[in-house]
Amino acid sequence: VARGAEKCQRCTRDGADEVIDSAWVDWLARVNALTAGRGVDGVFDPVGCEVLWQSLNCLAHGCRLLAIGFARGRWRQVRTQDLVNRNATVVGAIAVPPDQATADRMRRQLAVWYDEGALDPRVTRVVEFEAVPEALTLVEERQAVGKLVVRISE
């Protein structure tokens, strides 16, 4: 699920089997139609808010939702009853390491995977530091596609 034609095209280019544009379609109904009502095995949710509840409603029985953020600005409560009825799991994940040693170990492992070609960061735009306000506006207005990288210096 993505919002807008450009983001949906990017998902298709990146190998998605099905892409749903949430700007034009009731994505929950479309997911349920595509899966014949079974639901999906997993949801990666960087949005939160009401999207979290919709995401829970498209999970198949016994599957997982990975909550990684709250781009909509608010966290939501998950009712235990909703989890029990679906035998579902919600896992919270944050990419902030708990200490410097863990951060160093993660950075080394990521570098190895990058060097091996296992990671493809999909940077779509590099902006100079002075352009950060404009870049943040793109993100806030949901116009950013892929990863925006800020160049601090040469």
Side-chain angles (χ1 to χ4, degrees):
V1 177
R3 187 169 188 88
E6 188 177 3
K7 292 178 183 180
C8 288
Q9 290 167 359
R10 182 65 191 216
C11 291
T12 300
R13 282 195 311 267
D14 286 346
D17 293 324
E18 297 286 343
V19 180
I20 302 167
D21 187 342
S22 65
W24 302 104
V25 177
D26 174 354
W27 66 269
L28 178 57
R30 183 70 182 134
V31 165
N32 285 321
L34 287 169
T35 63
R38 178 189 174 278
V40 297
D41 294 330
V43 174
F44 178 82
D45 179 17
V47 179
C49 210
E50 69 278 354
V51 172
L52 177 78
W53 287 329
Q54 293 171 310
S55 297
L56 278 173
N57 287 322
C58 74
L59 276 180
H61 187 267
C63 292
R64 290 187 175 188
L65 185 147
L66 182 62
I68 63 152
F70 56 104
R72 282 280 177 90
R74 297 187 316 273
W75 292 105
R76 285 291 189 202
Q77 300 284 327
V78 176
R79 296 180 331 155
T80 307
Q81 177 183 357
D82 295 332
L83 298 175
V84 170
N85 288 340
R86 291 186 179 283
N87 193 30
T89 304
V90 174
V91 178
I94 189 164
V96 177
D99 53 58
Q100 191 59 47
T102 302
D104 293 342
R105 191 169 51 255
M106 291 169 67
R107 193 173 7 267
R108 284 191 302 273
Q109 183 61 59
L110 288 170
V112 167
W113 288 336
Y114 181 79
D115 290 342
E116 293 173 349
L119 297 178
D120 183 6
R122 307 279 202 299
V123 174
T124 56
R125 186 169 177 185
V126 177
V127 298
E128 299 304 320
F129 184 74
E130 296 76 22
V132 166
E134 292 86 7
L136 289 173
T137 298
L138 286 174
V139 172
E140 182 179 16
E141 294 177 355
R142 301 173 80 175
Q143 300 301 312
V145 177
K147 299 294 178 209
L148 301 180
V149 174
V150 177
R151 184 188 334 259
I152 304 294
S153 67
E154 292 294 326

